[in-house]
Coordinates of all heavy atoms in Angstrom, one line a residue:
M1 N -9.6 -7.0 -13.6 CA -9.0 -5.9 -13.0 C -9.0 -6.0 -11.6 O -9.9 -6.3 -10.9 CB -9.9 -4.7 -13.4 CG -9.4 -3.4 -12.9 SD -10.4 -2.0 -13.4 CE -9.3 -1.3 -14.6
N2 N -7.7 -5.7 -11.1 CA -7.5 -5.8 -9.6 C -7.9 -4.5 -8.9 O -7.4 -3.5 -9.2 CB -6.1 -6.2 -9.4 CG -5.7 -6.4 -7.9 OD1 -6.6 -6.3 -7.1 ND2 -4.4 -6.8 -7.6
K3 N -8.7 -4.5 -8.0 CA -9.2 -3.4 -7.3 C -8.5 -3.2 -5.9 O -8.9 -2.4 -5.1 CB -10.7 -3.4 -7.0 CG -11.5 -3.7 -8.4 CD -12.3 -2.5 -8.6 CE -13.3 -2.8 -9.8 NZ -13.1 -2.0 -10.9
G4 N -7.5 -4.1 -5.5 CA -6.8 -4.0 -4.3 C -5.9 -2.9 -4.1 O -5.5 -2.5 -3.0
G5 N -5.6 -2.1 -5.2 CA -4.6 -0.9 -5.1 C -5.1 0.1 -4.3 O -4.4 0.8 -3.5
F6 N -6.4 0.5 -4.4 CA -7.0 1.5 -3.6 C -7.0 1.3 -2.2 O -6.8 2.1 -1.3 CB -8.5 1.8 -4.1 CG -8.5 2.4 -5.4 CD1 -9.2 1.8 -6.5 CD2 -7.9 3.8 -5.6 CE1 -9.1 2.4 -7.7 CE2 -8.0 4.3 -6.9 CZ -8.6 3.7 -7.9
A7 N -7.2 0.0 -1.7 CA -7.1 -0.4 -0.4 C -5.6 -0.1 0.2 O -5.4 0.4 1.2 CB -7.4 -1.9 -0.1
W8 N -4.6 -0.5 -0.6 CA -3.2 -0.3 -0.1 C -2.9 1.1 -0.1 O -2.1 1.6 0.8 CB -2.3 -1.1 -1.1 CG -2.4 -2.6 -0.7 CD1 -3.0 -3.5 -1.6 CD2 -1.9 -3.2 0.4 NE1 -2.9 -4.7 -1.0 CE2 -2.2 -4.7 0.3 CE3 -1.3 -2.8 1.6 CZ2 -1.9 -5.6 1.2 CZ3 -1.0 -3.8 2.5 CH2 -1.3 -5.1 2.3
I9 N -3.4 2.0 -0.9 CA -3.2 3.4 -0.8 C -3.9 3.9 0.4 O -3.3 4.7 1.1 CB -3.8 4.1 -2.1 CG1 -3.0 3.8 -3.3 CG2 -3.9 5.6 -1.8 CD1 -3.6 4.3 -4.6
G10 N -5.1 3.4 0.8 CA -5.7 3.8 2.0 C -4.9 3.3 3.3 O -4.7 4.1 4.2
Y11 N -4.4 2.1 3.2 CA -3.5 1.6 4.3 C -2.3 2.6 4.4 O -1.8 2.9 5.5 CB -3.1 0.2 4.0 CG -4.2 -0.9 4.0 CD1 -4.0 -2.0 3.3 CD2 -5.3 -0.7 4.7 CE1 -5.0 -2.8 3.2 CE2 -6.3 -1.6 4.6 CZ -6.2 -2.7 3.9 OH -7.2 -3.7 3.9
G12 N -1.6 2.9 3.3 CA -0.5 3.9 3.4 C -0.9 5.2 4.1 O -0.1 5.7 4.7
F13 N -2.0 5.7 3.7 CA -2.5 7.0 4.2 C -2.7 6.8 5.8 O -2.3 7.7 6.5 CB -3.9 7.3 3.6 CG -4.5 8.6 4.1 CD1 -3.9 9.8 3.7 CD2 -5.5 8.5 5.0 CE1 -4.5 11.0 4.2 CE2 -5.9 9.8 5.5 CZ -5.5 10.9 5.1
I14 N -3.3 5.7 6.2 CA -3.4 5.5 7.6 C -2.0 5.4 8.2 O -1.8 6.0 9.4 CB -4.2 4.3 7.9 CG1 -5.7 4.4 7.4 CG2 -4.1 3.8 9.4 CD1 -6.5 3.2 7.4
I15 N -1.1 4.6 7.7 CA 0.2 4.4 8.3 C 0.9 5.9 8.4 O 1.6 6.1 9.4 CB 1.1 3.5 7.5 CG1 0.4 2.2 7.7 CG2 2.5 3.6 7.9 CD1 1.1 1.1 6.8
T16 N 0.6 6.8 7.5 CA 1.2 8.1 7.4 C 0.6 9.0 8.4 O 1.2 9.7 9.1 CB 1.3 8.6 6.1 OG1 2.0 7.7 5.2 CG2 2.0 10.0 6.0
M17 N -0.7 9.1 8.4 CA -1.5 10.1 9.1 C -1.7 9.8 10.6 O -1.7 10.6 11.4 CB -2.8 10.4 8.4 CG -2.7 11.0 7.1 SD -1.8 12.5 7.1 CE -2.9 13.6 8.2
L18 N -1.9 8.5 10.9 CA -2.1 8.1 12.3 C -1.0 8.6 13.2 O -1.3 9.2 14.3 CB -2.4 6.6 12.4 CG -3.0 6.2 13.7 CD1 -4.4 6.8 13.9 CD2 -3.1 4.6 13.6
P19 N 0.2 8.3 13.0 CA 1.3 8.8 13.9 C 1.3 10.3 14.0 O 1.6 10.9 15.1 CB 2.6 8.3 13.3 CG 2.3 7.2 12.5 CD 0.9 7.5 11.9
L20 N 1.1 11.0 12.9 CA 1.1 12.5 12.9 C 0.0 13.0 13.8 O 0.2 13.9 14.6 CB 0.9 13.0 11.5 CG 0.9 14.4 11.3 CD1 2.2 15.1 11.6 CD2 0.4 14.8 9.8
L21 N -1.2 12.5 13.7 CA -2.3 13.0 14.4 C -2.1 12.6 15.9 O -2.4 13.5 16.8 CB -3.6 12.4 13.9 CG -4.0 12.9 12.5 CD1 -5.2 12.2 12.0 CD2 -4.3 14.4 12.5
I22 N -1.7 11.4 16.2 CA -1.5 11.1 17.6 C -0.4 11.9 18.3 O -0.6 12.4 19.3 CB -1.2 9.5 17.7 CG1 -2.4 8.7 17.3 CG2 -0.7 9.2 19.1 CD1 -2.1 7.2 17.2
I23 N 0.6 12.0 17.6 CA 1.8 12.9 18.3 C 1.4 14.3 18.4 O 1.6 14.9 19.4 CB 3.0 12.8 17.4 CG1 3.6 11.3 17.4 CG2 4.1 13.7 17.9 CD1 4.0 10.8 18.7
G24 N 0.7 14.9 17.4 CA 0.3 16.3 17.6 C -0.7 16.5 18.6 O -0.6 17.4 19.4
L25 N -1.7 15.7 18.7 CA -2.8 15.8 19.7 C -2.3 15.5 21.1 O -2.5 16.3 22.0 CB -3.9 14.9 19.4 CG -4.7 15.3 18.2 CD1 -5.8 14.2 17.9 CD2 -5.4 16.6 18.4
V26 N -1.6 14.5 21.3 CA -1.0 14.1 22.6 C 0.0 15.1 23.1 O -0.1 15.7 24.2 CB -0.4 12.7 22.6 CG1 0.4 12.5 23.9 CG2 -1.5 11.7 22.4
G27 N 1.0 15.6 22.2 CA 1.9 16.6 22.6 C 1.3 17.9 22.9 O 1.8 18.5 23.9
R28 N 0.4 18.3 22.2 CA -0.2 19.7 22.5 C -1.1 19.7 23.6 O -1.0 20.6 24.5 CB -0.8 20.3 21.2 CG -1.2 21.6 21.3 CD -0.1 22.6 21.3 NE -0.6 23.9 21.4 CZ 0.1 24.8 22.1 NH1 1.3 24.6 22.6 NH2 -0.3 26.0 22.1
H29 N -2.0 18.8 23.7 CA -3.1 18.9 24.7 C -2.7 18.3 26.0 O -3.1 18.7 27.0 CB -4.3 18.2 24.2 CG -4.9 19.0 23.0 ND1 -5.6 20.1 23.2 CD2 -5.1 18.6 21.7 CE1 -6.0 20.6 22.0 NE2 -5.7 19.7 21.1
F30 N -2.0 17.1 26.0 CA -1.7 16.5 27.3 C -0.3 17.0 27.8 O -0.2 17.1 29.1 CB -1.7 15.0 27.2 CG -3.0 14.4 26.8 CD1 -3.2 13.9 25.6 CD2 -4.0 14.5 27.8 CE1 -4.5 13.4 25.3 CE2 -5.2 13.9 27.5 CZ -5.5 13.4 26.2
F31 N 0.7 17.2 27.0 CA 2.0 17.6 27.5 C 2.3 19.1 27.3 O 3.3 19.5 27.8 CB 3.1 16.7 26.8 CG 3.1 15.3 27.1 CD1 2.6 14.4 26.2 CD2 3.4 14.8 28.3 CE1 2.5 13.1 26.6 CE2 3.4 13.5 28.8 CZ 2.9 12.6 27.8
K32 N 1.4 19.9 26.8 CA 1.6 21.3 26.6 C 2.9 21.7 26.0 O 3.5 22.6 26.4 CB 1.3 22.0 27.9 CG 0.0 21.6 28.5 CD -1.2 22.2 27.8 CE -2.5 21.8 28.7 NZ -3.6 21.7 27.8
L33 N 3.3 21.0 24.9 CA 4.7 21.2 24.4 C 4.6 22.6 23.6 O 3.6 22.9 23.0 CB 5.0 20.1 23.4 CG 5.3 18.7 24.0 CD1 5.5 17.7 23.0 CD2 6.4 18.8 25.0
N34 N 5.8 23.2 23.5 CA 5.8 24.5 22.8 C 5.8 24.2 21.3 O 5.9 23.1 20.9 CB 7.0 25.3 23.2 CG 8.3 24.7 22.8 OD1 8.5 24.0 21.9 ND2 9.3 25.0 23.6
Y35 N 5.6 25.2 20.5 CA 5.4 25.1 19.0 C 6.6 24.5 18.4 O 6.6 23.6 17.5 CB 5.1 26.5 18.5 CG 4.9 26.5 17.0 CD1 3.8 25.9 16.4 CD2 5.8 27.0 16.2 CE1 3.6 25.9 15.0 CE2 5.8 27.1 14.8 CZ 4.6 26.5 14.2 OH 4.4 26.5 12.9
Y36 N 7.9 24.9 18.8 CA 9.1 24.4 18.1 C 9.3 23.0 18.4 O 9.7 22.2 17.5 CB 10.2 25.3 18.6 CG 10.1 26.7 18.2 CD1 10.2 27.7 19.2 CD2 9.8 27.1 16.9 CE1 10.0 29.0 18.8 CE2 9.6 28.4 16.5 CZ 9.7 29.3 17.5 OH 9.6 30.7 17.1
T37 N 9.1 22.5 19.7 CA 9.3 21.1 20.0 C 8.2 20.3 19.2 O 8.5 19.2 18.7 CB 9.2 20.9 21.4 OG1 10.2 21.6 22.1 CG2 9.4 19.4 21.8
L38 N 7.0 20.8 19.2 CA 6.0 20.1 18.5 C 6.2 20.0 17.0 O 5.9 18.9 16.4 CB 4.6 20.7 18.7 CG 3.4 20.0 18.3 CD1 3.3 18.7 19.1 CD2 2.1 20.9 18.6
M39 N 6.8 21.0 16.4 CA 7.2 20.9 14.9 C 8.2 19.8 14.8 O 8.1 19.1 13.8 CB 7.8 22.2 14.4 CG 6.8 23.3 14.2 SD 7.3 24.9 13.5 CE 9.0 25.0 13.6
G40 N 9.2 19.6 15.6 CA 10.1 18.6 15.5 C 9.5 17.2 15.8 O 9.8 16.2 15.0
L41 N 8.5 17.1 16.7 CA 7.8 15.8 16.8 C 7.0 15.5 15.6 O 7.0 14.3 15.2 CB 6.9 16.0 18.1 CG 7.6 16.0 19.4 CD1 6.6 16.3 20.5 CD2 8.3 14.7 19.7
L42 N 6.4 16.4 15.0 CA 5.5 16.1 13.9 C 6.5 15.8 12.7 O 6.1 14.9 12.0 CB 4.7 17.4 13.5 CG 3.6 17.6 14.6 CD1 2.8 18.9 14.1 CD2 2.7 16.5 14.7
A43 N 7.6 16.4 12.5 CA 8.5 16.1 11.5 C 9.1 14.7 11.7 O 9.2 13.8 10.7 CB 9.7 17.1 11.4
G44 N 9.4 14.3 12.9 CA 9.8 12.9 13.3 C 8.8 12.0 13.1 O 9.0 10.8 12.7
S45 N 7.6 12.3 13.4 CA 6.5 11.3 13.3 C 6.1 11.0 11.8 O 5.6 10.0 11.5 CB 5.2 11.7 14.0 OG 4.6 12.8 13.4
T46 N 6.4 11.9 10.9 CA 6.3 11.7 9.5 C 7.6 11.3 8.8 O 7.6 11.0 7.6 CB 5.8 12.9 8.8 OG1 6.7 14.0 8.9 CG2 4.3 13.3 9.2
T47 N 8.7 11.2 9.6 CA 10.0 10.8 9.2 C 10.4 11.7 7.9 O 10.8 11.2 6.9 CB 10.1 9.4 8.7 OG1 9.3 9.0 7.8 CG2 9.9 8.5 10.1
D48 N 10.3 13.0 8.1 CA 10.4 14.0 7.0 C 11.6 14.9 7.3 O 11.4 15.9 8.0 CB 9.2 14.6 6.8 CG 9.1 15.5 5.6 OD1 10.1 15.5 4.8 OD2 8.1 16.2 5.3
P49 N 12.8 14.6 6.8 CA 14.0 15.5 7.1 C 13.8 16.9 6.6 O 14.3 17.8 7.2 CB 15.1 14.8 6.4 CG 14.7 13.3 6.3 CD 13.2 13.3 6.2
P50 N 13.2 17.2 5.4 CA 12.9 18.5 5.0 C 12.1 19.3 5.9 O 12.3 20.5 6.1 CB 12.3 18.4 3.6 CG 12.7 17.1 3.0 CD 12.8 16.2 4.3
A51 N 11.0 18.7 6.5 CA 10.3 19.4 7.5 C 11.1 19.7 8.8 O 10.9 20.7 9.4 CB 9.0 18.5 7.9
L52 N 12.0 18.8 9.1 CA 13.0 19.1 10.3 C 13.8 20.3 9.9 O 14.0 21.2 10.8 CB 13.8 17.9 10.6 CG 14.8 18.2 11.7 CD1 14.2 18.6 13.0 CD2 15.7 17.0 11.8
A53 N 14.3 20.4 8.7 CA 15.2 21.4 8.3 C 14.4 22.8 8.4 O 14.9 23.8 8.8 CB 15.6 21.3 6.8
Y54 N 13.1 22.8 7.9 CA 12.3 24.0 8.0 C 12.1 24.3 9.5 O 12.1 25.5 9.7 CB 10.9 23.7 7.3 CG 10.0 24.9 7.4 CD1 10.1 26.0 6.8 CD2 8.9 24.7 8.4 CE1 9.2 27.1 7.1 CE2 8.1 25.7 8.6 CZ 8.2 27.0 8.0 OH 7.3 27.9 8.2
A55 N 11.7 23.3 10.2 CA 11.5 23.6 11.7 C 12.7 24.2 12.4 O 12.6 25.2 13.1 CB 11.0 22.4 12.4
N56 N 13.9 23.7 12.0 CA 15.2 24.2 12.6 C 15.4 25.6 12.2 O 15.8 26.6 12.9 CB 16.3 23.3 12.2 CG 16.4 22.0 13.1 OD1 16.0 22.0 14.1 ND2 17.0 21.0 12.5
A57 N 15.1 25.8 10.8 CA 15.4 27.3 10.3 C 14.4 28.2 10.9 O 14.8 29.4 11.3 CB 15.2 27.3 8.8
T58 N 13.1 27.8 11.2 CA 12.2 28.7 11.8 C 12.4 28.8 13.2 O 12.3 30.1 13.7 CB 10.8 28.0 11.6 OG1 10.5 27.8 10.3 CG2 9.7 28.9 12.1
A59 N 12.9 27.9 14.0 CA 13.0 28.0 15.4 C 14.3 28.8 15.8 O 14.3 29.6 16.7 CB 13.1 26.7 16.1
G60 N 15.4 28.5 15.1 CA 16.6 29.1 15.5 C 17.2 28.6 16.6 O 18.2 29.1 17.2
N61 N 16.7 27.4 17.1 CA 17.3 26.7 18.2 C 17.3 25.2 18.0 O 16.9 24.8 17.0 CB 16.6 27.1 19.6 CG 15.1 26.9 19.6 OD1 14.7 25.8 18.9 ND2 14.3 27.7 20.3
D62 N 17.6 24.4 19.0 CA 17.6 22.9 18.8 C 16.4 22.3 19.3 O 16.3 20.9 19.2 CB 18.8 22.3 19.6 CG 20.2 22.7 19.1 OD1 20.2 23.0 17.9 OD2 21.2 22.7 19.9
A63 N 15.3 22.9 19.7 CA 14.1 22.3 20.1 C 13.4 21.3 19.0 O 13.1 20.2 19.4 CB 13.1 23.3 20.5
P64 N 13.4 21.8 17.8 CA 12.8 20.8 16.8 C 13.7 19.6 16.6 O 13.1 18.4 16.5 CB 12.7 21.6 15.5 CG 12.7 23.1 15.9 CD 13.5 23.1 17.2
A65 N 15.0 19.7 16.6 CA 15.9 18.6 16.4 C 15.7 17.6 17.6 O 15.7 16.3 17.4 CB 17.3 19.0 16.3
V66 N 15.6 18.1 18.8 CA 15.4 17.2 20.0 C 14.1 16.5 19.9 O 14.0 15.3 20.2 CB 15.5 18.1 21.3 CG1 15.1 17.2 22.5 CG2 16.8 18.6 21.6
G67 N 13.1 17.1 19.6 CA 11.8 16.6 19.3 C 11.7 15.5 18.3 O 11.2 14.4 18.4
Y68 N 12.5 15.8 17.1 CA 12.6 14.9 16.0 C 13.3 13.6 16.5 O 12.8 12.5 16.2 CB 13.4 15.5 14.9 CG 13.4 14.7 13.6 CD1 12.5 14.9 12.6 CD2 14.5 13.8 13.4 CE1 12.7 14.2 11.4 CE2 14.6 13.1 12.2 CZ 13.7 13.3 11.2 OH 13.9 12.5 10.0
A69 N 14.4 13.8 17.2 CA 15.3 12.6 17.6 C 14.5 11.8 18.7 O 14.6 10.6 18.8 CB 16.5 13.1 18.2
T70 N 13.5 12.4 19.4 CA 12.8 11.7 20.4 C 11.8 10.7 19.8 O 11.7 9.6 20.2 CB 12.0 12.7 21.3 OG1 13.0 13.6 21.9 CG2 11.2 12.0 22.4
V71 N 11.1 11.1 18.7 CA 10.0 10.3 18.2 C 10.4 9.5 17.0 O 9.8 8.5 16.6 CB 8.8 11.2 18.0 CG1 9.0 12.1 16.7 CG2 7.6 10.4 17.9
Y72 N 11.4 9.8 16.2 CA 11.8 9.2 15.0 C 12.0 7.7 15.1 O 11.4 6.9 14.3 CB 13.0 9.8 14.4 CG 13.4 9.3 13.1 CD1 12.8 9.6 11.9 CD2 14.5 8.3 13.0 CE1 13.2 9.1 10.7 CE2 14.9 7.8 11.8 CZ 14.3 8.1 10.7 OH 14.6 7.6 9.5
P73 N 12.7 7.1 16.1 CA 13.0 5.7 16.1 C 11.7 5.0 16.4 O 11.5 3.9 15.8 CB 14.0 5.5 17.3 CG 14.6 6.9 17.5 CD 13.6 7.8 17.1
L74 N 10.9 5.4 17.2 CA 9.6 4.8 17.6 C 8.7 4.7 16.4 O 8.0 3.7 16.1 CB 8.9 5.3 18.9 CG 7.6 4.8 19.2 CD1 7.7 3.4 19.6 CD2 6.9 5.6 20.3
T75 N 8.6 5.9 15.7 CA 7.8 6.0 14.5 C 8.2 5.0 13.4 O 7.3 4.3 12.9 CB 7.7 7.3 13.9 OG1 7.3 8.2 15.0 CG2 6.8 7.5 12.7
M76 N 9.5 4.8 13.2 CA 10.0 3.9 12.2 C 9.6 2.5 12.6 O 9.2 1.7 11.7 CB 11.5 4.1 12.0 CG 11.8 5.3 11.2 SD 11.1 5.4 9.6 CE 11.8 4.1 8.7
F77 N 9.8 2.2 13.9 CA 9.5 0.7 14.3 C 8.0 0.5 14.1 O 7.6 -0.5 13.7 CB 9.9 0.6 15.8 CG 9.5 -0.6 16.4 CD1 10.1 -1.9 16.0 CD2 8.4 -0.7 17.3 CE1 9.7 -3.0 16.6 CE2 8.0 -1.7 17.8 CZ 8.6 -3.0 17.5
L78 N 7.2 1.5 14.5 CA 5.8 1.2 14.4 C 5.3 1.1 12.9 O 4.3 0.4 12.6 CB 5.0 2.4 15.2 CG 5.1 2.2 16.6 CD1 4.4 3.5 17.3 CD2 4.5 0.9 17.2
R79 N 5.9 1.9 12.0 CA 5.5 1.8 10.7 C 5.9 0.4 10.1 O 5.1 -0.2 9.4 CB 6.2 2.8 9.9 CG 5.6 4.2 10.0 CD 6.2 5.1 9.0 NE 5.5 6.5 9.2 CZ 5.7 7.4 8.4 NH1 6.5 7.3 7.3 NH2 5.1 8.5 8.6
V80 N 7.0 -0.1 10.4 CA 7.3 -1.4 9.9 C 6.4 -2.5 10.5 O 5.9 -3.4 9.8 CB 8.9 -1.7 10.2 CG1 9.2 -3.2 9.9 CG2 9.7 -0.8 9.4
L81 N 6.3 -2.4 11.8 CA 5.3 -3.4 12.5 C 3.9 -3.3 12.0 O 3.4 -4.4 11.7 CB 5.4 -3.1 14.1 CG 4.5 -4.1 14.9 CD1 5.0 -5.5 14.8 CD2 4.5 -3.6 16.3
T82 N 3.4 -2.1 11.7 CA 2.1 -2.0 11.3 C 1.9 -2.5 9.8 O 1.0 -3.2 9.6 CB 1.6 -0.5 11.3 OG1 1.7 0.1 12.6 CG2 0.2 -0.3 10.7
A83 N 2.9 -2.2 9.0 CA 2.8 -2.8 7.6 C 2.9 -4.2 7.6 O 2.1 -5.0 6.9 CB 4.0 -2.2 6.8
Q84 N 3.7 -4.9 8.5 CA 3.7 -6.4 8.5 C 2.4 -6.9 9.1 O 1.9 -7.9 8.6 CB 4.9 -6.8 9.5 CG 6.3 -6.4 8.9 CD 6.5 -7.2 7.6 OE1 6.2 -8.3 7.4 NE2 7.1 -6.4 6.7
L85 N 1.9 -6.3 10.1 CA 0.6 -6.8 10.6 C -0.5 -6.6 9.5 O -1.4 -7.5 9.5 CB 0.2 -6.0 11.9 CG 1.1 -6.4 13.1 CD1 0.7 -5.5 14.3 CD2 0.9 -7.8 13.5
M86 N -0.5 -5.5 8.8 CA -1.5 -5.4 7.8 C -1.5 -6.4 6.7 O -2.4 -7.0 6.3 CB -1.4 -4.0 7.2 CG -2.0 -2.9 8.0 SD -1.6 -1.4 7.2 CE -3.2 -0.6 7.7
I87 N -0.2 -6.7 6.3 CA -0.1 -7.8 5.3 C -0.5 -9.2 5.9 O -1.1 -9.9 5.2 CB 1.5 -7.9 4.9 CG1 1.8 -6.7 4.1 CG2 1.8 -9.2 4.1 CD1 3.3 -6.5 3.8
L88 N -0.2 -9.4 7.2 CA -0.6 -10.7 7.8 C -2.1 -10.8 7.9 O -2.6 -11.9 7.6 CB 0.1 -10.8 9.2 CG -0.2 -11.9 10.0 CD1 0.5 -13.1 9.3 CD2 0.4 -11.8 11.5
F89 N -2.7 -9.8 8.2 CA -4.2 -9.9 8.5 C -5.1 -9.5 7.4 O -6.3 -10.0 7.3 CB -4.6 -9.0 9.7 CG -4.0 -9.6 11.0 CD1 -3.1 -8.9 11.7 CD2 -4.5 -10.8 11.5 CE1 -2.6 -9.3 13.0 CE2 -3.9 -11.3 12.7 CZ -3.0 -10.5 13.5
F90 N -4.6 -8.7 6.4 CA -5.5 -8.2 5.4 C -5.2 -8.7 4.0 O -5.8 -8.5 3.0 CB -5.5 -6.7 5.3 CG -6.0 -6.0 6.6 CD1 -5.2 -5.2 7.3 CD2 -7.3 -6.3 7.0 CE1 -5.7 -4.7 8.5 CE2 -7.8 -5.7 8.1 CZ -7.0 -4.9 8.9
Y91 N -4.1 -9.5 3.9 CA -3.7 -9.9 2.5 C -4.1 -11.4 2.2 O -4.1 -12.2 2.9 CB -2.2 -9.8 2.3 CG -1.8 -10.0 0.9 CD1 -2.2 -9.2 -0.1 CD2 -0.9 -11.1 0.6 CE1 -1.8 -9.5 -1.4 CE2 -0.5 -11.3 -0.7 CZ -1.0 -10.5 -1.7 OH -0.6 -10.8 -3.0

């Protein structure tokens, strides 16, 4: 029986949660971003279009979309890079 599946689930959890926590904490505490921009940043850091749609509907302005567009490309790049590094070092 292969027990490696649980490790990969854990790696996926880290890849998903780490950008979310970093963006949320840095954005709120260091840059004092408003709630709507922060909602967009969090949606972008999880690469979650339905979360962006909810944020846009809640805000009624473009602040979430601007936040989403700011962080989305970097998050996608870091996810691909992190996955490749995990395969390289842990497989």
Side-chain angles (χ1 to χ4, degrees):
M1 180 180 255
N2 186 358
K3 305 248 190 239
F6 289 116
W8 287 107
I9 290 172
Y11 297 150
F13 179 78
I14 291 169
I15 290 171
T16 301
M17 291 304 294
L18 195 60
L20 179 65
L21 293 173
I22 290 171
I23 294 299
L25 292 173
V26 170
R28 187 69 179 147
H29 292 291
F30 294 111
F31 294 106
K32 307 291 185 205
L33 295 175
N34 66 31
Y35 179 70
Y36 299 124
T37 303
L38 193 57
M39 284 190 342
L41 288 173
L42 294 176
S45 68
T46 58
T47 62
D48 190 0
L52 175 63
Y54 172 76
N56 282 333
T58 302
N61 58 33
D62 290 336
V66 171
Y68 185 92
T70 302
V71 75
Y72 180 82
L74 178 63
T75 301
M76 287 303 297
F77 173 74
L78 290 176
R79 282 188 180 188
V80 171
L81 181 66
T82 303
Q84 295 297 319
L85 291 173
M86 286 177 144
I87 290 170
L88 181 65
F89 291 116
F90 297 119
Y91 187 63

